[in-house]
Amino acid sequence: MTERELPLWEVFIRSRTGLNHRHVGSLHAADAAMAMQNARDLYCRRQEGVSIWVVESGLIHASDPSDKESLFDPAEDKIYRHPTFYDVPDGVENI
Amino acid sequence: MYTQGLDQSDTRTPGPEEEAQLVQAFQARIDAEEKIEPRDWMPDAYRRTLVRQISQHAHSEIVGMLPEGNWITRAPSLKRKAILLAKVQDEAGHGLYLYSAAETLGTSRQQMVDQLLSGKAKYSSIFNYPTLNWADIGAIGWLVDGAAIMNQIPLCRCSYGPYSRAMVRVCKEESFHQRQGYEIMTVMARGTDAQRRMAQDALERWWWPSLMMFGPSDSDSAHTAQSMRWKIKRFTNDELRQKFVDVTVPQGHFLGLEFPDPELKLDEQTGHWNFGPIDWSEFKQVLEGNGPCNAERMRARQTAHQEGAWVRQALLAHAEKHEDIR
Amino acid sequence: MAVCDQQDLFTYLLRLGDSGLVLGQRLSEWVGKAPMLEEEMALANMALDLVGQSRMLLSYAALVEGKGRTEDQLAMHRDVHEFTNPLLVEQPNGDFAHSMARQYFYASFAERLFDKLQHSADTQLAGIAAKAVKEFRYHARHAGLWMVRLGDGTEESRDRMIRAIQELWPYTGELFETDELDRRMLEAGIGVDLHVLRKSWREDLDRVLGEAGLPLPADDAWMHSGGRAGRHSEHLGHLLATMQFLPRAYPDAGW
């Protein structure tokens, strides 16, 4: 008796101009236009946004948690990428 | 929040030794207050507990729309009508957030809804009580939402990321719910004799069921200990119940209302309000389906679902004809 | 600009406010019954917009009347014959197709009406209209989207949508009727010539029905009328009995 379910969509909202769209949650909808309206009605009831992205969940490619170490740990020792790594003599400003 | 398909990357089953290591590493992450995310390895029991708890929570939001929805068309002023509409709508939204969070664990909303409609899944038994007068809307906001908030605020720190994020949103949005309820109670308690009677009557009917919302005493609660170890739960049922009583009793007295508990008494030493024994046989009866509105609530959900079936079918049929707009 | 009679302005505002109130009440009957949870949100949002608009319009009407009445006294203590909404908005919800067709018919009309009213000589009304037009634009889009999906969905949904349009069509004529009051308000620069809104309303309807593959209703069909003059269908009395119950039963209470 289980009926076929409407596809799942992920919703991303830009809360104000100048900021990135951010993932806020998901919903079900049959097509993009309806997903957009549903996102507006569900996730923007309190002036949360100025722009909406919706994308079908099945279209997202995500990294595998078991790859976490090989993907992200190698960046750990590259401390010279950060400005705090470098010595600047006292008295030198605006650098 | 993430598709169910994405969720199950690791399909092979670990051997018993490997499993033990995984469990240990998992508990270490929990103990370090790390959040668990959908695709991370987790013990089956953790997953099952979460699906059960989150879906019950979602069902409660959805069924919880019904007793209050009962008064939307009869709200006594346009302001109250707008507030109540917005509040009940929030509950639908919160149900949606929660179903979404549970879906990240690999159970579809459809499965969860089927479980509710077939009577297999539970929802908070408080919603099996009727709303008989307008002050009930006040009492639900003040007491039922008040009790719910006590339960929900610790859930914002729950170890499972999607649940905790959903709860942050829910708590933020619900902050007006309790206040609007107390405001209704205030107006009623200070109103005409008839209004005052309604307020007192509502308190009398909702007080004990609200206390039961925290669930059985810790010694009788099947899930408390394990849930606390997993940081799904942060406080015991009894701790939260006492906290609720302590903050709520003075609020009721401020309105000049009487609580239906002759044993209610402030313990000067501890600063806590002692209260009389809870009638758990009533709780059990309601849980088993014998509350005043169990059948009605289920029928309402089933009817909405059945009568909406042709609409949902039409949506799928239309989308299939126009694959390009997907 | 001609001087406007306060009684005229009062009645004009009542018509607008009553329409939002009655349709908002109808939509709020959907709470807990929507075909999917996502649509619960949409229906409640539309109901909230309508109740909000009608509160502004009725409050302003009460002020113009100058008898110390409030929005709630106007909403809760008038009888059927004193309500001035068009018959369309008081029609029962029916099935979801019915409610969406009603919503589309009215919102698409109101979007055009309030678009014009933004330029009303009455600045307060113009301000309310500027807010309402955005809301109705969304309602029309949302309901229009449903008409297309139901019209072009399954055989059952198509049949239901066709029936809904057939049943509601005779109530659309009244929306564009221009009476003496409308004429006086138009002359005063406050009101709108309703008759001229019909052309673009019809064009948009034809676009939606075309997309949905639904038959177009006949322009010369018989039309019901009377709501704006206080002659209503049987349905309104029941709607008011529910809505007004508490303030009528306890007239000395505040809420």
Side-chain angles (χ1 to χ4, degrees):
Chain A
M1 66 150 262
T2 300
E3 65 176 60
R4 202 148 60 86
E5 192 156 38
L6 302 175
L8 190 67
W9 298 70
E10 302 303 320
V11 181
F12 301 80
I13 306 266
R14 186 201 295 286
S15 57
R16 55 188 166 84
T17 53
L19 296 179
N20 288 320
H21 285 77
R22 210 176 126 204
H23 183 245
V24 292
S26 56
L27 49 79
H28 290 272
D31 57 64
M34 190 138 264
M36 189 61 83
Q37 294 196 354
N38 290 348
R40 180 265 192 190
D41 283 317
L42 177 59
Y43 290 106
C44 299
R45 310 201 295 293
R46 289 173 167 81
Q47 299 181 295
E48 289 95 333
V50 295
S51 167
I52 302 172
W53 287 351
V54 289
V55 58
E56 248 193 280
S57 310
L59 299 178
I60 292 181
H61 299 270
S63 64
D64 190 320
S66 62
D67 288 341
K68 190 168 155 252
E69 287 170 9
S70 63
L71 287 176
F72 308 112
D73 288 357
E76 196 178 41
D77 64 351
K78 314 288 193 295
I79 48 177
Y80 42 79
R81 290 192 197 275
H82 302 280
T84 46
F85 178 73
Y86 300 92
D87 289 330
V88 175
D90 288 347
V92 177
E93 285 173 18
N94 300 321
I95 186 163
Chain B
M1 295 183 175
Y2 301 98
T3 176
Q4 308 117 39
L6 271 180
D7 187 41
Q8 278 132 10
S9 55
D10 201 1
T11 44
R12 73 195 173 82
T13 9
E17 213 166 294
E18 198 189 343
E19 167 108 21
Q21 279 172 1
L22 284 167
V23 169
Q24 206 175 13
F26 177 81
Q27 190 61 47
R29 289 184 67 192
I30 301 257
D31 293 342
E33 296 287 333
E34 241 185 82
K35 294 281 184 229
I36 307 301
E37 293 296 343
R39 304 185 68 212
D40 294 345
W41 186 89
M42 60 186 85
D44 278 344
Y46 177 83
R47 187 185 296 273
R48 275 199 308 274
T49 302
L50 277 170
V51 170
R52 194 194 63 235
Q53 181 173 334
I54 302 172
S55 64
Q56 272 181 22
H57 196 162
H59 299 328
S60 302
E61 296 281 355
I62 300 307
V63 178
M65 296 170 69
L66 300 170
E68 287 175 290
N70 182 37
W71 281 91
I72 289 176
T73 56
R74 291 179 293 167
S77 72
L78 298 186
K79 180 179 106 176
R80 294 285 172 212
K81 189 187 294 293
I83 293 171
L84 186 57
L85 247 172
K87 177 178 189 281
V88 175
Q89 183 200 37
D90 273 351
E91 282 152 17
H94 298 168
L96 270 168
Y97 302 159
L98 289 161
Y99 282 130
S100 293
E103 282 183 279
T104 63
L105 291 157
T107 307
S108 73
R109 192 199 297 176
Q110 190 60 57
Q111 286 171 293
M112 292 184 268
V113 169
D114 285 346
Q115 280 168 357
L116 172 70
L117 298 182
S118 68
K120 266 210 289 214
K122 291 200 178 79
Y123 56 88
S124 180
S125 52
I126 190 88
F127 302 118
N128 292 315
Y129 290 88
T131 48
L132 302 177
N133 79 56
W134 173 251
D136 287 29
I137 300 306
I140 288 183
W142 172 39
L143 301 174
V144 176
D145 286 283
I149 290 167
M150 290 281 168
N151 265 319
Q152 289 175 351
I153 286 183
L155 287 174
C156 297
R157 295 192 294 129
C158 160
S159 62
Y160 187 58
Y163 192 21
S164 116
R165 289 192 289 275
M167 289 317 300
V168 168
R169 205 175 174 105
V170 167
C171 287
K172 209 162 88 189
E173 296 187 351
E174 282 204 352
S175 53
F176 89 85
H177 291 188
Q178 194 190 12
R179 280 192 179 202
Q180 67 84 35
Y182 193 69
E183 190 184 86
I184 291 176
M185 291 306 274
T186 310
V187 172
M188 301 288 278
R190 292 177 179 166
T192 63
D193 288 348
Q195 286 177 302
R196 213 179 154 65
R197 269 198 301 277
M198 289 184 215
Q200 179 61 37
D201 173 46
L203 172 58
E204 284 174 18
R205 281 181 290 108
W206 290 96
W207 176 246
W208 288 109
S210 301
L211 295 192
M212 294 176 200
M213 279 177 72
F214 295 93
S217 200
D218 300 322
S219 47
D220 305 320
S221 171
H223 310 295
T224 294
Q226 181 57 63
S227 285
M228 294 204 39
R229 242 188 327 274
W230 279 334
K231 299 197 175 165
I232 294 174
K233 212 175 152 120
R234 297 269 177 174
F235 298 98
T236 67
N237 295 349
D238 288 332
E239 281 168 350
L240 290 169
R241 186 169 14 245
Q242 184 64 53
K243 211 168 145 200
F244 173 72
V245 172
D246 289 344
V247 301
T248 309
V249 170
Q251 293 166 355
H253 289 160
F254 180 82
L255 297 179
L257 297 175
E258 271 180 57
F259 288 85
D261 179 0
E263 292 177 46
L264 194 65
K265 196 166 167 282
L266 183 66
D267 182 333
E268 302 281 355
Q269 302 259 285
T270 62
H272 291 304
W273 284 88
N274 294 333
F275 50 95
I278 293 172
D279 179 5
W280 290 111
S281 64
E282 175 182 323
F283 181 72
K284 256 189 215 126
Q285 285 300 322
V286 179
L287 214 57
E288 279 167 21
N290 301 321
C293 299
N294 292 60
E296 233 170 293
R297 302 291 185 242
M298 283 307 288
R299 206 160 39 236
R301 285 316 309 156
Q302 286 160 349
T303 306
H305 190 74
Q306 283 157 13
E307 290 186 352
W310 68 269
V311 178
R312 297 187 298 273
Q313 281 157 12
L315 277 181
L316 285 167
H318 179 266
E320 260 167 36
K321 287 187 223 173
H322 304 268
E323 272 295 330
D324 52 312
I325 58 170
R326 277 271 290 276
Chain C
M1 192 181 81
V3 182
C4 158
D5 181 79
Q6 288 300 92
Q7 180 62 36
D8 274 359
L9 180 58
F10 171 69
T11 311
Y12 196 74
L13 292 167
L14 266 192
R15 284 182 179 180
L16 297 170
D18 285 350
S19 304
L21 178 58
V22 171
L23 189 56
Q25 177 77 3
R26 279 290 184 230
L27 284 185
S28 74
E29 292 169 10
W30 268 105
V31 170
K33 304 187 181 84
M36 44 199 275
L37 271 180
E38 280 80 356
E39 191 59 21
E40 283 285 349
M41 307 305 293
L43 289 163
N45 272 341
M46 291 192 287
L48 280 168
D49 288 343
L50 290 161
V51 173
Q53 291 165 10
S54 93
R55 289 185 65 194
M56 288 189 286
L57 288 160
L58 293 181
S59 296
Y60 183 35
L63 188 79
V64 167
E65 188 193 35
K67 290 183 184 165
R69 287 207 275 184
T70 62
E71 60 179 53
D72 284 325
Q73 277 159 341
L74 289 175
M76 304 296 191
H77 293 279
R78 280 181 301 142
D79 203 348
V80 172
H81 66 276
E82 295 166 282
F83 271 74
T84 56
N85 57 280
L87 298 171
L88 175 69
V89 295
E90 72 199 45
Q91 296 311 303
N93 284 343
D95 63 13
F96 187 67
H98 218 86
S99 286
M100 284 302 107
R102 186 187 62 198
Q103 195 65 18
Y104 173 79
F105 285 153
Y106 187 74
S108 175
F109 156 74
E111 173 193 347
R112 287 163 172 77
L113 167 64
F114 283 101
D115 184 39
K116 295 268 194 236
L117 284 174
Q118 291 184 88
H119 312 292
S120 170
D122 186 298
T123 51
Q124 187 140 357
L125 177 56
I128 297 171
K131 184 174 182 303
V133 68
K134 294 181 217 161
E135 295 171 342
F136 280 123
R137 192 167 293 144
Y138 185 79
H139 298 190
R141 193 193 304 173
H142 184 73
L145 191 130
W146 272 111
M147 286 179 75
V148 170
R149 276 151 188 72
L150 298 179
D152 184 27
T154 60
E155 204 175 314
E156 178 179 7
S157 70
R158 179 182 157 81
D159 287 348
R160 285 177 185 265
M161 190 42 93
I162 289 175
R163 207 175 324 134
I165 293 171
Q166 273 171 357
E167 283 175 23
L168 292 167
W169 185 248
Y171 296 100
T172 56
E174 190 187 8
L175 301 176
F176 304 96
E177 274 175 18
T178 305
D179 63 7
E180 280 307 311
L181 174 64
D182 287 310
R183 260 187 280 280
R184 289 198 297 276
M185 296 307 286
L186 184 63
E187 272 166 36
I190 293 173
V192 172
D193 186 353
L194 294 171
H195 200 70
V196 303
L197 303 179
R198 192 168 189 286
K199 188 166 173 286
S200 81
W201 178 85
R202 177 74 214 216
E203 280 164 9
D204 192 66
L205 173 66
D206 289 350
R207 177 189 63 77
V208 169
L209 296 181
E211 214 181 309
L214 290 167
L216 308 181
D219 258 334
D220 57 354
W222 164 257
M223 292 288 166
H224 297 291
S225 173
R228 298 198 316 157
R231 291 189 311 277
H232 290 276
S233 59
E234 289 177 348
H235 307 299
L236 186 61
H238 294 280
L239 181 144
L240 295 185
T242 303
M243 183 176 84
Q244 299 179 337
F245 148 67
L246 270 178
R248 296 272 195 169
Y250 303 95
D252 51 343
W255 307 94

